[in-house]
Amino acid sequence: MKKSGKISTVQLSLIMMTAVGLKNHVTILPHLLQAAKRDAWISVLLALGLILIWCFLLFYIHKATGQTNIFVWVEKNIGKVTGRILSFTMSLFFAFLAAVSLKEMVVWTNISYLPITPSIYEIILFTGLCFFLASTNIQTIAITNTFVLMAVLVFGFFVAITNIQFKDYSLLKPILENGWSPVFAGIIYPLSGLIELIVILLMQQKVHGKLKFKVFAINSIILTWLILGPLIGSIVEFGPVEAARQKFPAFEQWGLVTLGRFIEHLDFLSIYQWLTGAFIRVSFFLFLSLEVLSIKKKRNKIILLLTYSIFLIISTSFSFSDVVLYSFIKTFVLPITLFFFLAVSILLSLFVLFSNRRKRGSTSDVQKKEPTSIQSE
């Protein structure tokens, strides 16, 4: 591997599978099932179609900005103040998303297997690990992710294959029993997960070679598959009504896993899956919160990273029920994430359009001046 601080598109895709995949695989499922129930998978497919169209916008921005840091490009071509405001806003938002993921992981941990352990110990220990990984570089994050992701994928296929005996695909019918309204009500949740593909654009300066459109498209399909797998599994294993009542449908599927008559209670393997996803997601988003600011001095990076880590510890230490967290994520976090990243992508495309027109205008002015100077001679 080259010592240039860059990674390949494959490594970036694997990071996306873990960091964004945790949200798609776990966070959005209960809200999607509650909104669309049996037809939730149709909402996901419609979301994929919309995201693929949106990916053309991301690719357009990438082609215009090249392999440079997108916020550095904005500072040079639009204005330093505009670039700083945009990058600082993005930095704070990534820190916010990291805090939400950390809190969700801690709440699930207390509910499922550590009900007596004080949350503050879990928060400090986990945040400390994320701090050390985020303080390295993107290559270290990519290598760490590659190692831990392999087991996550194996366990994922294991639970899917083992539970075939409990699956009844007739529960997916009748299709559109209640019309299109539940489908449209649920579409916002998969869109909120898939919209995080904008991270690829924000990491373009850390990728070897040029990003092609197929990178955006393939990652869209992979992240959609990470939603559809546990989503359909929940419906065909528990039924649409019971699945919609569950707060952690992907975790509940592990409760059904048995190997013969004597091997069961393998749901402890899901602990590894969730902790790994949260570890990479929080670390990667902390890294992104620094990367978008283009901080050059190592000391300044550590100070800001330490500040964000303290923010994570304080913000996630407040005790409230899982019902409140569930409602907060459904009502605020998921919709805000969708509209925030959509607004950023539209704004960047307008910046690119404005920059291109200004360049064309300056070129035409030069061409008009040249004939005039020749005639005067």
Side-chain angles (χ1 to χ4, degrees), residues 20-29 32-33 36-49 156-157 159-160 167 169 172 183 186 189-191 193-194 219-237 243 249-250 253:
V20 182
L22 173 70
K23 179 180 179 179
N24 289 2
H25 204 73
V26 175
T27 304
I28 70 172
L29 286 190
L32 175 57
L33 282 165
K37 292 184 173 62
R38 194 192 309 271
D39 294 324
W41 60 276
I42 303 178
S43 299
V44 177
L45 293 179
L46 289 179
L48 173 61
F157 284 111
V159 67
K167 295 179 179 180
Y169 286 94
L172 293 173
V183 174
Y189 303 114
L191 282 175
L194 295 174
N219 276 277
S220 301
I221 295 171
I222 291 174
L223 293 178
T224 302
W225 168 68
L226 289 175
I227 304 175
L228 281 176
L231 173 65
I232 294 177
S234 295
I235 295 173
V236 300
E237 290 171 25
Q253 293 176 44

Side-chain angles (χ1 to χ4, degrees), residues 272-291:
Y272 175 83
Q273 286 185 308
W274 195 312
L275 290 181
T276 295
F279 175 54
I280 297 298
R281 180 176 175 86
V282 174
S283 302
F284 182 56
F285 278 10
L286 284 176
F287 174 83
L288 270 174
S289 67
L290 305 180
E291 184 65 26

Side-chain angles (χ1 to χ4, degrees), residues 134-171:
S135 64
T136 56
N137 54 52
I138 190 60
Q139 287 182 330
T140 304
I141 296 174
I143 294 171
T144 303
N145 175 71
T146 302
F147 278 110
V148 299
L149 180 60
M150 294 303 104
V152 172
L153 293 176
V154 171
F155 294 156
F157 284 111
F158 171 73
V159 67
I161 295 172
T162 306
N163 283 346
I164 288 179
Q165 56 184 321
F166 304 112
K167 295 179 179 180
D168 181 7
Y169 286 94
S170 65
L171 292 173

Side-chain angles (χ1 to χ4, degrees), residues 104-115 122 274-275:
E104 186 180 22
M105 185 274 296
V106 170
V107 168
W108 173 76
T109 298
N110 290 339
I111 291 174
S112 57
Y113 62 96
L114 290 179
E122 304 166 24
W274 195 312
L275 290 181

Side-chain angles (χ1 to χ4, degrees), residues 148-306:
V148 299
L149 180 60
M150 294 303 104
V152 172
L153 293 176
V154 171
F155 294 156
F157 284 111
F158 171 73
V159 67
I161 295 172
T162 306
N163 283 346
I164 288 179
Q165 56 184 321
F166 304 112
K167 295 179 179 180
D168 181 7
Y169 286 94
S170 65
L171 292 173
L172 293 173
K173 299 177 182 179
I175 298 174
L176 298 176
E177 179 183 14
N178 298 309
W180 285 95
S181 55
V183 174
F184 294 134
I187 198 172
I188 187 174
Y189 303 114
L191 282 175
S192 178
L194 295 174
I195 200 76
E196 291 188 2
L197 278 165
I198 196 174
V199 168
I200 296 177
L201 184 66
L202 304 181
M203 290 295 296
Q204 63 182 9
Q205 72 277 6
K206 292 292 184 180
V207 179
H208 289 302
K210 294 182 178 180
L211 288 171
K212 298 181 179 179
F213 177 76
K214 67 179 181 181
V215 175
F216 295 95
I218 291 174
N219 276 277
S220 301
I221 295 171
I222 291 174
L223 293 178
T224 302
W225 168 68
L226 289 175
I227 304 175
L228 281 176
L231 173 65
I232 294 177
S234 295
I235 295 173
V236 300
E237 290 171 25
F238 300 105
V241 177
E242 177 60 28
R245 293 172 180 167
Q246 298 171 350
K247 286 187 173 62
F248 308 108
F251 173 70
E252 297 296 339
Q253 293 176 44
W254 278 96
L256 300 177
V257 176
T258 58
L259 295 176
R261 295 174 55 190
F262 304 105
I263 301 177
E264 55 184 12
H265 299 299
L266 297 175
D267 48 343
F268 67 92
L269 295 175
S270 65
I271 298 174
Y272 175 83
Q273 286 185 308
W274 195 312
L275 290 181
T276 295
F279 175 54
I280 297 298
R281 180 176 175 86
V282 174
S283 302
F284 182 56
F285 278 10
L286 284 176
F287 174 83
L288 270 174
S289 67
L290 305 180
E291 184 65 26
V292 297
L293 294 174
S294 304
I295 301 174
K296 296 181 179 179
K297 292 184 178 180
K298 182 70 174 179
R299 181 172 176 272
N300 293 341
K301 285 185 177 181
I302 295 299
I303 292 174
L304 182 58
L305 182 59
L306 183 61

